[in-house]
Amino acid sequence: MTATTQKLTFEDYLAYHDGTDTRYELVDGELVPMSLGTGQHGRIIEFLNDQFRDEIKRQQLPWTAKAMMVGVQSPRGRRWDTSRIPDVTILPLGQWDAMADREAVIRLHEPPPLLVVEVVSDSTEADDYRSKRSEYGLLEIPEYWIVDSLDKKVTLCVLDHQFYDSTEVWADQQIQSPTLPGLHLSTNQILAGKL
């Protein structure tokens, strides 16, 4: 369900405010409200964001992880009128700092995030596996995780020439992240949202 029937440009989207706290993605020029998700959905997001931050700090990398705070402009369709808000985003600290006085959206002319995560819900399953996977590949985001508590798996997508090679990781299997090779998490830990 969309919030408006009028098509918006990307610039219109950046300036849009309806007087509420509702967060929107822009998909083909239409505002799509983001649902709150379940407590488990939130637990997974918070857990991964914490684990990423801990690993970034441990490795002393000049990066940061942000949970549902960074948008990514997408090249969907003929116009540049789509912007996604991944559940978790890893990006260089300098890029985050550069957004201090503007909307926290990575634009098309900027370097892409290093890693994004989407946690699947009933209402986002098709987008997470198809639309976003295609868009994130075209944006050349090196690594994309699809955390699916419905099917009890994590799909690890690693970029190869604007397309993702994917590996399904189940149960006690460890995620082998190229971006964070020192991170040791199993699918069960991620889905439980705790070590």
Side-chain angles (χ1 to χ4, degrees):
M1 181 172 101
T2 58
T4 65
T5 56
Q6 173 187 351
K7 294 280 188 174
L8 299 178
T9 66
F10 179 70
E11 293 303 321
D12 293 336
Y13 167 71
L14 293 179
Y16 182 81
H17 183 65
D18 63 1
T20 71
D21 290 334
T22 305
R23 299 186 72 182
Y24 296 93
E25 288 188 329
L26 182 69
V27 180
D28 291 329
E30 295 183 7
L31 294 173
V32 178
M34 295 182 67
S35 63
L36 287 177
T38 65
Q40 184 62 22
H41 189 271
R43 179 192 310 248
I44 292 168
I45 292 168
E46 186 175 69
F47 172 76
L48 283 174
N49 194 53
D50 289 347
Q51 295 304 307
F52 291 162
R53 284 173 168 244
D54 289 349
E55 184 62 17
I56 288 166
K57 184 177 181 180
R58 188 186 72 76
Q59 291 188 35
Q60 299 180 5
L61 298 168
W63 303 345
T64 188
K66 299 295 175 188
M68 298 184 68
M69 292 178 64
V70 178
V72 180
Q73 186 180 8
S74 170
R76 180 182 174 121
R78 293 188 182 143
R79 294 176 48 205
W80 307 104
D81 58 359
T82 294
S83 185
R84 302 294 190 171
I85 303 173
D87 289 323
V88 184
T89 304
I90 295 178
L91 68 159
L93 193 53
Q95 190 172 23
W96 172 249
D97 290 343
M99 291 186 253
D101 296 321
R102 67 171 175 89
E103 298 83 8
V105 177
I106 297 171
R107 292 168 172 84
L108 292 171
H109 64 276
E110 298 174 337
L114 304 168
L115 184 154
V116 295
V117 176
E118 297 288 0
V119 179
V120 175
S121 63
D122 288 330
S123 63
T124 66
E125 186 173 12
D127 278 342
D128 293 340
Y129 278 103
R130 299 182 59 97
S131 303
K132 292 178 185 179
R133 182 176 172 152
S134 173
E135 292 167 32
Y136 294 160
L138 288 172
L139 289 169
E140 298 186 348
I141 298 173
E143 191 170 335
Y144 172 37
W145 293 18
I146 305 168
V147 178
D148 192 337
S149 60
L150 306 172
D151 282 341
K152 308 283 189 234
K153 66 179 179 180
V154 174
T155 303
L156 174 65
C157 303
V158 178
L159 192 67
D160 184 14
H161 298 92
Q162 292 189 326
F163 292 98
Y164 286 115
D165 291 331
S166 62
T167 303
E168 292 181 341
V169 185
W170 304 85
D172 287 325
Q173 293 177 318
Q174 297 279 312
I175 304 292
Q176 301 294 315
S177 170
T179 304
L180 295 170
L183 188 69
H184 300 290
L185 293 175
S186 71
T187 294
N188 284 345
Q189 288 171 322
I190 293 167
L191 295 176
K194 59 184 176 181
L195 295 176

